[in-house]
Structure formats: structure tokens, C-alpha cells
């Protein structure tokens, strides 16, 4: 059962990194339809719970569901999906795999979550939307602002991410109004 199949609608947008790849497909689909068809192609997926806010979205999703089946996407289409995935992942400035080895943080910072929000701003090219989500959806005691620079997390990260250096950057950008930074601090 899949929740948030479009990541809060982000995957339904015409993402700059994905559009040129989708255009290579013989069968043209909307970004939302690509996401749905990939999910419904998986034999283990039985239910896709997608939020819809307009009648048009309901109608499009019904058409998408009616046209779906397990294994629908052919090898060429699956290769395009992989290419989009790699391209979008490559836009992330912080190479976090969300392994959670850095947790628990003694100051309760949810390190993988705040990094994920930071990466999303670049991947979905939506800094203002991500700022708003970060402020609303990440609990105050889990935000990067609570980092005390103890550096307990740093040696635990298999990706060698300078977590303690990123935390003030993330808070300044997502919790404040500092410009987005892609270079490692
Ligand atoms: S450096 Fe910051 S994020 Fe890392 S463990 Fe310490 S308080 Fe938590
Ligand atoms: S240990 Fe490193 S890669 Fe793993 S979740 Fe923490 S920051 Fe991300």
C-alpha cells in the first residue's frame, strides 16, 4: 500500500531534470502517470493512495489506473525511469542515503529528515515550498536549529557527510532566508 506516491505532488510537476528524459519515450505520459504506472507495474503493489485536489486530477488518475497492469512498463521505459531517478538524485547537494546510522542525535535533531528537506528544494526546484514544508512539518525539537555542534554524528556517517557543518546551513536556508547553498560548507 503506497502512501504519498507523488511525494506530496512534487513528482507530478514538470521537473527540469526529468522533462528531457520523459520526452525520449515513445508512449507520452504526464509525470504523474509515469509515477503511477511505475508503481502499478510492481507485483507487490496493491493500493496507491494519492491525494487529489481537483476533479481533473481525479479523472486523470482514474484513466491512469484503468490503463495500468503489472509489468506494463517495458524495458526501455524502465530504463527511462531509472535515468530520471539517477538524474534527480544527482541534483541533491548532500549525498545522504537515509541509512540513519547517525541517529540518535543527543539533541534530537532528525538528521536524515532535515537533510532530505534540504535536498528536496534542489531536486524539485522549489525552495519556497520546501521552506514552508520544513517549518510546518518538521517538529521543532527535530529541526536543525537544535544542533549543538557536538559532532557525535560525524564519524558515524558512512558517506562522510560533514553533518555538523551542514546543520547551521540547513537551518539558515530552510528555517530562515539565507540563499540556497550547494557547495559543502
Ligand atoms: S553535531 Fe548536531 S546533529 Fe550531529 S549529533 Fe551533535 S547535535 Fe546532533
Ligand atoms: S549517517 Fe549519513 S548517510 Fe546515513 S542518514 Fe545520517 S547523514 Fe545520511
Amino acid at each position: 500500500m503506497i502512501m504519498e506516491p507523488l511525494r506530496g505532488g512534487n513528482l507530478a510537476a514538470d521537473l527540469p531534470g526529468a522533462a528531457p528524459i520523459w520526452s525520449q519515450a515513445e508512449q507520452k505520459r504526464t509525470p504523474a502517470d509515469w509515477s503511477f504506472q511505475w508503481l502499478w507495474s510492481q507485483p507487490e503493489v496493491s493500493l496507491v493512495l494519492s491525494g487529489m485536489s481537483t476533479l481533473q486530477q481525479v479523472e486523470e488518475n482514474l484513466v491512469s489506473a484503468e490503463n495500468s497492469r503489472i509489468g506494463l512498463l517495458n524495458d526501455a521505459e524502465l530504463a527511462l525511469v531509472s535515468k530520471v531517478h539517477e538524474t534527480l538524485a544527482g541534483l541533491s547537494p548532500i549525498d545522504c542515503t537515509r541509512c540513519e546510522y547517525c541517529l540518535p542525535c543527543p539533541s534530537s535533531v532528525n538528521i536524515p529528515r532535515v537533510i532530505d528537506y534540504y535536498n528536496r528544494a534542489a531536486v524539485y526546484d522549489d525552495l519556497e515550498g520546501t521552506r514552508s514544508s520544513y517549518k510546518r512539518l518538521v517538529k521543532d525539537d527535530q529541526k536543525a536549529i537544535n544542533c549543538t555542534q557536538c559532532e557525535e554524528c560525524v564519524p558515524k556517517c558512512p558517506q562522510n557527510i560533514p553533518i555538523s557543518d551542514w546543520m547551521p546551513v540547513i537551518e539558515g536556508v530552510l528555517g530562515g532566508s539565507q540563499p540556497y547553498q550547494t557547495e559543502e560548507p
Side-chain angles (χ1 to χ4, degrees):
M1 297 182 198
I2 308 298
M3 288 187 69
E4 293 275 359
L6 302 179
R7 294 209 74 164
N10 281 319
L11 290 173
D14 276 320
L15 299 172
I21 301 171
W22 292 141
S23 71
Q24 296 167 25
E26 274 184 33
Q27 165 83 47
K28 302 304 177 200
R29 302 179 190 280
T30 63
D33 190 37
W34 276 111
S35 301
F36 287 136
Q37 295 306 348
W38 184 84
L39 286 167
W40 282 315
S41 277
Q42 318 297 319
E44 61 270 44
V45 172
S46 56
L47 182 66
V48 175
L49 293 162
S50 179
M52 290 163 269
S53 47
T54 65
L55 184 58
Q56 185 186 349
Q57 288 173 355
V58 174
E59 289 169 350
E60 287 173 0
N61 288 6
L62 283 172
V63 170
S64 200
E66 280 169 5
N67 291 331
S68 71
R69 65 176 160 79
I70 292 169
L72 174 80
L73 297 184
N74 61 34
D75 288 348
E77 290 173 322
L78 290 172
L80 288 181
V81 173
S82 296
K83 210 166 158 187
V84 167
H85 175 247
E86 283 165 24
T87 301
L88 294 182
L91 295 174
S92 299
I94 310 178
D95 199 14
C96 173
T97 61
R98 304 195 71 176
C99 67
E100 300 192 355
Y101 292 162
C102 51
L103 298 180
C105 159
S107 301
S108 76
V109 178
N110 190 329
I111 300 167
R113 187 140 194 247
V114 303
I115 289 177
D116 182 53
Y117 271 91
Y118 194 77
N119 282 338
R120 281 188 212 182
V123 171
Y124 302 120
D125 193 24
D126 182 15
L127 179 53
E128 282 313 314
T130 310
R131 274 182 176 139
S132 167
S133 302
Y134 178 79
K135 286 171 187 162
R136 282 185 299 113
L137 301 178
V138 179
K139 290 180 183 166
D140 284 346
D141 64 345
Q142 297 184 357
K143 285 188 165 90
I145 197 171
N146 299 297
C147 174
T148 59
Q149 302 290 306
C150 73
E151 300 196 351
E152 205 176 286
C153 55
V154 178
K156 294 183 193 166
C157 176
Q159 303 297 317
N160 296 318
I161 295 167
I163 300 169
S164 56
D165 294 337
W166 271 113
M167 289 302 127
V169 173
I170 292 173
E171 189 56 40
V173 173
L174 298 185
S177 56
Q178 287 177 14
Y180 197 79
Q181 176 176 328
T182 53
E183 295 300 314
E184 202 166 277

